[in-house]
């Protein structure tokens, strides 16, 4: 069984640029969500996708957007990067109807904005 | 406004002793609580959960206790092992969804 994989693992961008982070869900999982973990904080929910539709969003501006593809892989796009966007971005997959709240996380993509 | 609070950023425990990690929450409507563990350079992994209809759930060395009147839950690890050294997050899901709200985490160090 393949776990959740994310790419790239590390990247550096400058303020104002755009970034795309990618995630491959665990086999058989149909729901994907993205979290941002700033230094010293817990992961913060960005949004969730189910059947290629966004079905939940946290307190993040519209410049954070996402996609889920038919094979359940996913992308997180962030436009007009700001210094505060520097964080670890975590992708998590789950099965709708599975154990309440149990998510399977990838290792994350660490974004540094200069 | 933090709905899930972990007030201890770090905890050091001797190997073989008990580790107790604490978490407070504000919303009495939460009906499920989870603990995740995170090692450096890895994503969080699910550890143990408890439903609000229970006050205790045990899985091997790990036990979670829920005190609804105090809006408090705790994770007990007995006996603690060096491999337990990690950051522990408590989390609550919104209304049966997978939208988790996490605490800030407690870094546990188990000293051999």
């Amino acid at each position: 069984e393949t776990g959740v994989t994310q790419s790239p693992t590390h990247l550096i961008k400058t303020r104002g640029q755009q970034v795309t982070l990618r995630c491959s869900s665990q086999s058989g999982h149909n729901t994907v969500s993205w979290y941002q973990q700033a230094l010293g904080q817990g992961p913060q929910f960005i949004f969730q996708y189910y059947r290629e539709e966004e079905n939940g969003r946290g307190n993040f501006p519209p410049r954070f957007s996402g996609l889920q593809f038919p094979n359940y892989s996913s992308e997180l796009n962030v436009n007009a990067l700001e210094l505060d966007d520097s964080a670890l971005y975590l992708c998590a997959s789950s099965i709708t109807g599975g154990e309440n709240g149990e998510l399977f996380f990838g290792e994350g993509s660490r974004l540094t904005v200069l | 406004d933090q709905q899930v609070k972990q007030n201890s950023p770090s905890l050091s425990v001797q190997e073989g002793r008990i580790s107790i990690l604490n978490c407070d929450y504000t919303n009495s409507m939460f009906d499920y609580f989870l603990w995740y563990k995170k090692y450096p350079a890895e994503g969080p992994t699910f550890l143990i959960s408890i439903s609000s209809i229970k006050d205790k759930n045990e899985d091997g060395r790990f036990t979670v206790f829920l005190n609804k009147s105090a809006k408090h839950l705790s994770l007990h690890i007995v006996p603690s092992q060096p491999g337990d050294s990690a950051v522990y997050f408590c989390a609550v899901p919104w209304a049966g969804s997978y939208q988790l709200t996490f605490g800030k985490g407690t870094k546990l160090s188990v000293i051999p």
Side-chain angles (χ1 to χ4, degrees):
Chain A
E1 184 179 78
T2 306
V4 178
T5 58
Q6 293 186 241
S7 63
T9 54
H10 295 83
L11 71 167
I12 300 173
K13 293 285 187 177
T14 56
R15 198 169 44 183
Q17 285 188 313
Q18 179 265 346
V19 69
T20 298
L21 307 177
R22 295 178 174 82
C23 171
S24 292
S25 299
Q26 183 159 322
S27 177
H29 287 188
N30 55 15
T31 301
V32 66
S33 50
W34 286 88
Y35 288 78
Q36 179 196 66
Q37 186 181 9
L39 200 61
Q41 304 294 315
Q44 188 174 359
F45 176 73
I46 302 175
F47 44 54
Q48 177 180 283
Y49 279 79
Y50 171 67
R51 291 186 175 178
E52 303 172 52
E53 300 260 340
E54 183 182 299
N55 73 341
R57 189 176 185 94
N59 188 26
F60 280 82
R63 58 189 186 84
F64 285 78
S65 63
L67 287 171
Q68 184 186 30
F69 299 101
N71 64 355
Y72 303 131
S73 64
S74 175
E75 286 182 358
L76 165 66
N77 298 289
V78 187
N79 293 321
L81 284 167
E82 300 176 359
L83 298 179
D84 285 348
D85 296 333
S86 295
L88 180 68
Y89 288 85
L90 295 161
C91 171
S93 69
S94 53
I95 304 172
T96 300
E99 197 66 31
N100 200 335
E102 183 175 351
L103 301 178
F104 296 81
F105 285 89
E107 294 181 355
S109 293
R110 184 164 295 282
L111 171 65
T112 302
V113 182
L114 302 177
Chain B
D1 180 32
Q2 272 192 286
Q3 299 207 48
V4 181
K5 295 181 182 179
Q6 294 178 257
N7 293 318
S8 298
S10 63
L11 174 69
S12 288
V13 171
Q14 206 73 26
E15 181 179 3
R17 306 294 292 269
I18 184 171
S19 295
I20 300 176
L21 298 100
N22 295 304
C23 179
D24 297 300
Y25 60 95
T26 56
N27 191 335
S28 58
M29 298 300 291
F30 290 142
D31 57 9
Y32 221 82
F33 305 87
L34 305 99
W35 286 93
Y36 279 78
K37 177 171 71 173
K38 186 180 186 299
Y39 293 116
E42 294 185 13
T45 54
F46 170 77
L47 184 60
I48 191 169
S49 62
I50 187 167
S51 165
S52 62
I53 63 173
K54 296 184 177 180
D55 54 18
K56 176 182 174 182
N57 188 28
E58 191 171 352
D59 184 3
R61 297 185 297 112
F62 302 90
T63 303
V64 57
F65 295 92
L66 177 62
N67 182 334
K68 289 186 287 292
S69 61
K71 295 180 186 173
H72 177 84
L73 66 156
S74 60
L75 174 68
H76 292 212
I77 307 173
V78 182
S80 300
Q81 299 174 354
D84 296 328
S85 297
V87 179
Y88 290 79
F89 296 98
C90 66
V92 293
W94 283 99
S97 74
Y98 298 91
Q99 300 174 22
L100 299 184
T101 298
F102 286 85
K104 289 188 176 183
T106 297
K107 183 176 182 180
L108 173 66
S109 300
V110 180
I111 304 162

